[in-house]
Amino acid sequence: MKEALQAILTKAQEQLRAAGDLKALDEIRVAVLGKKGELTGILKSMGKLSPEERPVIGQLANEVRSQIEALLEERIAEVKEEELSRRLQAEQLDVTLPGQRRPLGKKHPLTQVLDEVKEIFLGMGFSVVQGPEVELDYYNFEALNLPKDHPARDTQDTFYITDRVLLRTQTSGVQVRVMEKQKPPIRAISPGRVYRSDAVDATHSPLFHQIEGLVVDKGVTMADLKGTLEIFVKHLYGNDTVVRFRPHHFPFTEPSAEMDAQCFACHGEGCRLCKGEGWIEILGCGMVHPKVLRGCGIDPEEYSGFAFGIGLERIVMRNFNIDDLRLFYENDLRFLSQF
């Protein structure tokens, strides 16, 4: 049995010195020292030895195990060092090379124009207010003179979370919150994301952005509304911009109107973008309904006001001559890098 232990030691030493990686060293460890290894097999057969031989063979077996384990640890350290040296050689870094510039991002075109719109209205004395995108039905509809089962709700088919909670279809709810907390005079815009169950096409999306404005004070008239919006559009597009106001109906304003800008693609002749009409709807507007004012604690006999809602995507499309709204949301760098 002494010869067998010596043979195991000699063989293990040769194999360990020849092993070139950690995987090979581990395989040798298992083959020699593992539960089913050669040395373990010798130790299991010691029961067949005489009482006099067992201590001698046991001591020799422990010495063999210690030598193999010591050599194994030594070779593991050497192999790790060799592997690190090879990696450092393969992954050399020339610190004298110039650094590589990391590409810097830019503002999204929607954000660029939104910032410009904010600046225009801030220059006219408006403040910018924010509100929740997950809104109560009361602020999104009822406080705006749209009670339950009102037919006008059908045009704003939306995403309900519960019977009372929904993803807002407009930022008008922010205006209601402002009127509840602040006494006139009020002059504010409320930009933000809104959601409607619209089919996706060149000018519609289930997610889009609105910029809603509100002015409430004594003696506010429709002339103030038209003048404010014309100044805004001319600041945005230039003094040669052609706009028109046409009668419309909104439950929360009376009288109400739509403001259109002449199609920038066909200049009024009719095309795919404007659906043959020659005009592109930019915003809806009107004088705040007395019922809405009264519901917010403002006396309509003393105060009047106007409100408007601008579709951000549509004015950005006109700004950059973009003919498909879907480009804003596809995250194609070939498109975004142009801005």
Side-chain angles (χ1 to χ4, degrees):
M1 193 168 285
K2 290 181 180 179
E3 292 78 7
L5 287 171
Q6 188 61 45
I8 290 173
L9 176 60
T10 303
K11 179 182 176 183
Q13 289 173 334
E14 293 174 355
Q15 289 178 331
L16 289 172
R17 290 193 180 95
D21 56 51
L22 294 175
K23 183 180 178 182
L25 289 173
D26 191 60
E27 289 175 352
I28 295 169
R29 179 189 65 80
V30 172
V32 178
L33 305 177
K35 291 182 179 180
K36 298 180 180 180
E38 296 176 17
L39 184 58
T40 306
I42 294 290
L43 294 173
K44 287 180 179 179
S45 64
M46 285 179 58
K48 301 175 182 178
L49 299 175
S50 66
E52 295 79 13
E53 291 179 310
R54 285 177 193 168
V56 178
I57 298 302
Q59 182 180 355
L60 181 59
N62 287 333
E63 290 175 358
V64 169
R65 174 182 287 275
S66 296
Q67 291 183 54
I68 294 174
E69 287 177 343
L71 182 57
L72 179 63
E73 289 181 8
E74 181 183 336
R75 286 296 295 143
I76 288 174
E78 290 175 355
V79 168
K80 284 184 177 179
E81 185 70 25
E82 291 169 2
E83 288 185 353
L84 177 60
S85 178
R86 285 196 296 269
R87 282 184 59 193
L88 291 174
Q89 186 67 28
E91 300 174 8
Q92 285 188 56
L93 175 66
D94 187 349
V95 295
T96 64
L97 288 173
Q100 294 183 343
R101 287 186 176 273
R102 295 180 67 86
L104 296 177
K106 301 178 182 178
K107 286 185 178 180
H108 193 279
L110 292 175
T111 305
Q112 291 181 31
V113 176
L114 177 58
D115 289 345
E116 186 178 354
V117 170
K118 287 179 182 178
E119 287 299 318
I120 293 172
F121 281 109
L122 287 170
M124 291 193 284
F126 284 71
S127 60
V128 179
V129 293
Q130 301 288 340
E133 294 180 23
V134 179
E135 185 61 280
L136 294 173
D137 182 272
Y138 172 78
Y139 286 105
N140 197 79
F141 289 125
E142 293 182 32
L144 296 167
N145 200 27
L146 281 161
K148 292 191 181 298
D149 301 323
H150 193 290
R153 289 197 181 204
D154 294 342
T155 62
Q156 295 190 30
D157 189 19
T158 188
F159 302 99
Y160 278 88
I161 298 172
T162 69
D163 290 342
R164 296 182 59 253
V165 181
L166 48 81
L167 297 182
R168 67 183 181 187
T169 63
Q170 53 200 0
T171 58
S172 303
V174 182
Q175 299 174 346
V176 175
R177 294 175 183 272
V178 170
M179 287 190 286
E180 286 180 343
K181 296 177 182 178
Q182 179 182 337
K183 291 184 178 181
I186 298 170
R187 194 178 298 175
I189 60 169
S190 51
R193 284 187 294 263
V194 296
Y195 307 84
R196 297 185 188 180
S197 185
D198 286 340
V200 178
D201 60 27
T203 56
H204 293 84
S205 169
L207 180 151
F208 58 101
H209 296 76
Q210 273 193 341
I211 309 162
E212 303 229 4
L214 173 71
V215 172
V216 180
D217 204 348
K218 294 179 179 179
V220 176
T221 67
M222 192 76 175
D224 298 312
L225 166 62
K226 292 184 67 178
T228 300
L229 293 179
E230 285 182 2
I231 289 172
F232 159 68
V233 172
K234 291 183 184 296
H235 268 291
L236 194 64
Y237 298 133
N239 289 326
D240 60 343
T241 304
V242 180
V243 298
R244 72 177 184 184
F245 290 84
R246 51 187 170 82
H248 198 69
H249 170 262
F250 298 111
F252 35 85
T253 54
E254 181 60 38
S256 305
E258 292 273 12
M259 189 182 81
D260 303 331
Q262 193 176 78
C263 179
F264 57 85
C266 65
H267 304 289
E269 295 182 5
C271 66
R272 182 179 72 89
L273 179 60
C274 62
K275 298 180 179 177
E277 296 180 3
W279 297 85
I280 297 176
E281 174 191 332
I282 298 294
L283 58 87
C285 57
M287 302 301 294
V288 180
H289 198 291
K291 188 174 181 180
V292 175
L293 291 174
R294 192 175 293 110
C296 296
I298 298 174
D299 185 359
E301 298 296 327
E302 184 178 0
Y303 295 99
S304 58
F306 64 78
F308 55 87
I310 307 168
L312 177 62
E313 281 80 359
R314 291 183 180 179
I315 61 175
V316 177
M317 290 169 72
R318 191 183 193 282
N319 244 24
F320 296 117
N321 291 339
I322 298 167
D323 63 359
D324 197 324
L325 179 148
R326 289 167 289 195
L327 293 170
F328 294 131
Y329 302 109
E330 291 174 348
N331 294 324
D332 190 330
L333 289 177
R334 294 172 300 175
F335 170 75
L336 295 175
S337 61
Q338 299 178 61
F339 306 95

